[in-house]
Amino acid sequence: MPARPRIPDPRKGALEKFAFDLRQLGVGKAAVSWIAAQEDTEVSRPALYAALSGTRLPNGMTVSTLLRWWAGNPDEEDPDVRSRDRIWGWIPRLPAGCDAHAQANEWKQRYLHLARAETKRRSAKNRSWKPTAPVQIETPREQHILIAQIKDLIERTGLSQDMWLLFGPETLRIERYLSGQVIPNKRWTNRIAMHCAEFTPDLNLKEEADRLYVAVEIARRARVRERRIARKALR
């Protein structure tokens, strides 16, 4: 995260306005890097900088950490005042009636109001979202190449007609890969190569596993491509 985060545009909504005003509040005060280095700071330096960019709502602890140094005044806090609130517990430690106490509470309420509004906005967005309808595609050529590679490995063991001896209870899963229903992940490409290597002494396990996984990634991208084409055709 750069020391000069993106400058938010206060005209683009409440979130960017909050970040812009927070950034202005810190002008001439403790540097973000210095705040991050304090022993009692629980938030990372990148998270503190991110709160000033206005790209997303920061969590309460991040905002509170900045406000403690920019709206409050740690030097005026009374260490004997205890609070169960980990995030905003420093505010009651400020002298009641002082400017820092009032300003800190104002910023706290502003943040909480913004957080509630952002939560409602996201909830409404999620409710309005509709999943993309599934599309049917033919098995792409790249996936056929992957299937051929798996079959070749199996045939080299001499157990292509007795796959149960080769894969045991995992046989049904392997058959799904061979039928094109599913594409294996890296863990299962490794397992396929490992099982085959046990019955093929001259097989280089790492080389075959890596070659198989490259084919898997190519096949996976091909299916994504074919689905994209199919969806465009439905529009």
Side-chain angles (χ1 to χ4, degrees):
M1 175 62 65
R4 295 179 179 274
R6 166 187 176 275
I7 298 177
D9 185 344
R11 298 168 298 179
K12 290 187 175 180
L15 180 58
E16 294 215 29
K17 178 76 164 62
F18 180 86
F20 180 84
D21 291 347
L22 184 60
R23 186 186 178 101
Q24 292 299 109
L25 181 68
V27 173
K29 298 179 182 177
V32 171
S33 56
W34 188 86
I35 295 174
Q38 300 310 296
E39 290 185 3
D40 55 352
T41 295
E42 302 180 34
V43 184
S44 69
R45 176 175 171 176
L48 293 174
Y49 278 123
L52 304 176
S53 67
T55 55
R56 63 180 180 179
L57 180 73
N59 63 36
M61 180 61 80
T62 302
V63 173
S64 175
T65 299
L66 293 171
L67 290 178
R68 185 182 176 214
W69 294 95
W70 292 351
N73 187 341
D75 292 335
E76 294 182 1
E77 293 177 14
D78 184 349
D80 294 328
V81 176
R82 304 298 177 185
S83 173
R84 294 182 180 180
D85 188 342
R86 277 186 61 249
I87 298 177
W88 306 101
W90 55 271
I91 296 179
R93 293 199 295 268
L94 293 169
C98 73
D99 291 342
H101 189 282
Q103 186 178 35
N105 265 321
E106 287 175 5
W107 271 95
K108 172 187 173 181
Q109 293 306 317
R110 181 177 174 184
Y111 171 76
L112 294 178
H113 178 76
L114 175 66
R116 286 192 291 269
E118 279 293 298
T119 300
K120 289 181 180 178
R121 184 186 67 79
R122 291 176 185 175
S123 178
K125 183 177 179 181
N126 289 338
R127 286 196 299 271
S128 64
W129 177 82
K130 295 181 179 179
T132 304
V135 292
Q136 297 297 321
I137 62 171
E138 297 291 332
T139 303
R141 180 180 61 85
E142 293 86 346
Q143 190 173 353
H144 282 299
I145 293 173
L146 166 64
I147 293 170
Q149 286 187 217
I150 297 174
K151 285 182 177 179
D152 178 63
L153 276 177
I154 295 172
E155 288 172 359
R156 286 161 64 183
T157 68
L159 296 171
S160 59
Q161 301 302 315
D162 299 290
M163 288 206 336
W164 185 262
L165 296 176
L166 182 59
F167 296 109
E170 297 171 357
T171 302
L172 293 177
R173 178 185 287 271
I174 305 304
E175 288 177 344
R176 294 182 70 202
Y177 298 150
L178 294 174
S179 69
Q181 297 178 56
V182 184
I183 293 179
N185 57 25
K186 188 169 187 177
R187 173 172 174 263
W188 280 98
T189 55
N190 287 336
R191 290 186 69 83
I192 292 170
M194 180 185 69
H195 281 295
C196 293
E198 291 176 358
F199 293 86
T200 315
D202 62 340
L203 188 142
N204 185 315
L205 174 59
K206 184 179 186 308
E207 182 179 304
E208 292 297 334
D210 289 346
R211 189 168 70 93
L212 205 57
Y213 186 61
V214 169
V216 161
E217 287 299 292
I218 293 172
R220 198 182 304 282
R221 288 196 290 269
R223 290 190 67 86
V224 171
R225 179 197 67 217
E226 294 302 313
R227 288 195 190 98
R228 187 184 305 117
I229 293 172
R231 290 193 186 100
K232 286 183 178 179
L234 292 175
R235 292 175 183 172

